[in-house]
Amino acid sequence: MKLIFCIISKLLILLCLSVACLSQDFDFFYFVQQWPGAYCDTRQSCCYPKTGKPAADFSIHGLWPNYNDGSWPSNCDPDSVFDKSQISELISSMEKEWPSLSCPSSNGMRFWSHEWEKHGTCAQSELDQTEYFEATLKLKKKLNLLKILKNAGIEPDDEFYSLNSITNAIKEGTGFTPGIECNRDSARNSQLYQVYMCVDTSGSDFIECPLLPRSKCGEQIQFPKF
């Protein structure tokens, strides 16, 4: 009887641990947008999606759960696979706002599947698969980075702008300090590549970042054409 009780107790502990793992909490999201001109200029190659060349605008990279200590969860639930039927009503918006520029040319499904399985599964305590993609699209609609930068006289014209001017323009336009990530082109120029904004765990409201990603940008940043 004692043996059976011991086995049942251990099974219950394992069950609780597995449930805790799947409903793993996190502290905030990074909402990350990328500039396609920098992606295509700094990678060995880029391929336009099957729907054609994307608009000359910032596009979504992802919505990534993070912890306040700088670490992050990933691939939290291997059983929760990407399901196209969960986003059927969002696909046209995702093709426009969340295109894949990786090669070979694709319809975006591989990219979105990666984002869900690596990052989205770690937010299931807050958002199911449909809600995750809906929330990300709504954030993109709220945050028009290109308009904010253009209003500050910062345009994708291959010219160089100071890192401070880009950071300050976005902070003034949103009320929150962004994280800026740069890539380097073949001439080793520092280029504006990605912008990180922080979002609360509901995936709906921008917040001041508890922690910004480390910047590898130079003092002067090129904003490449696309």
Side-chain angles (χ1 to χ4, degrees):
M1 192 70 179
K2 286 184 178 179
L3 178 60
I4 294 173
F5 179 78
C6 183
I7 291 171
I8 291 172
S9 297
K10 287 181 178 179
L11 286 172
L12 286 171
I13 290 170
L14 287 171
L15 179 62
C16 289
L17 287 173
S18 65
V19 170
C21 182
L22 289 176
S23 61
Q24 188 170 2
D25 287 331
F26 57 100
D27 296 317
F28 67 96
F29 285 108
Y30 278 133
F31 174 55
V32 187
Q33 294 190 61
Q34 62 184 8
W35 179 248
Y39 183 101
C40 292
D41 220 10
T42 52
R43 301 295 179 99
Q44 290 184 342
S45 62
C46 75
C47 293
Y48 298 155
K50 291 181 178 179
T51 51
K53 183 180 179 179
D57 192 7
F58 284 89
S59 61
I60 298 168
H61 187 169
L63 184 65
W64 305 340
N66 272 259
Y67 298 124
N68 288 337
D69 65 3
S71 63
W72 59 87
S74 65
N75 301 100
C76 294
D77 185 3
D79 294 325
S80 181
V81 297
F82 176 73
D83 180 0
K84 178 183 175 181
S85 69
Q86 297 292 315
I87 60 161
S88 57
E89 296 183 3
L90 306 176
I91 288 177
S92 61
S93 295
M94 290 174 67
E95 287 174 342
K96 178 185 176 185
E97 307 291 359
W98 204 333
S100 170
L101 289 169
S102 63
C103 294
S105 180
S106 73
N107 60 8
M109 293 295 170
R110 185 175 65 248
F111 182 26
W112 304 331
S113 174
H114 167 80
E115 290 300 310
W116 168 252
E117 291 171 9
K118 182 176 180 179
H119 302 290
T121 57
C122 299
Q124 289 182 103
S125 59
E126 297 287 340
L127 303 168
D128 64 25
Q129 191 165 155
T130 304
E131 292 167 341
Y132 175 78
F133 288 105
E134 282 179 336
T136 310
L137 289 169
K138 286 178 182 177
L139 290 169
K140 174 66 169 67
K141 196 171 182 179
K142 279 185 179 182
L143 180 61
N144 190 331
L145 285 175
L146 188 59
K147 183 178 179 181
I148 287 170
L149 291 172
K150 283 185 172 182
N151 285 345
I154 299 169
E155 306 220 15
D157 51 10
D158 283 343
E159 294 299 320
F160 287 80
Y161 301 91
S162 72
L163 174 59
N164 282 341
S165 67
I166 292 171
T167 300
N168 290 338
I170 296 172
K171 184 174 182 179
E172 186 173 332
T174 64
F176 301 105
T177 305
I180 305 296
E181 181 183 353
C182 295
N183 270 350
R184 292 188 180 274
D185 65 7
S186 57
R188 304 299 295 164
N189 293 315
S190 186
Q191 293 187 321
L192 177 59
Y193 172 42
Q194 297 199 129
V195 177
Y196 292 66
M197 300 296 294
C198 290
V199 177
D200 68 1
T201 55
S202 73
S204 57
D205 295 315
F206 292 105
I207 59 172
E208 194 63 38
C209 284
L211 186 75
L212 288 170
R214 185 178 298 176
S215 174
K216 296 181 179 179
C217 299
E219 290 183 6
Q220 295 290 316
I221 302 173
Q222 186 183 38
F223 197 178
K225 294 177 181 178
F226 180 65

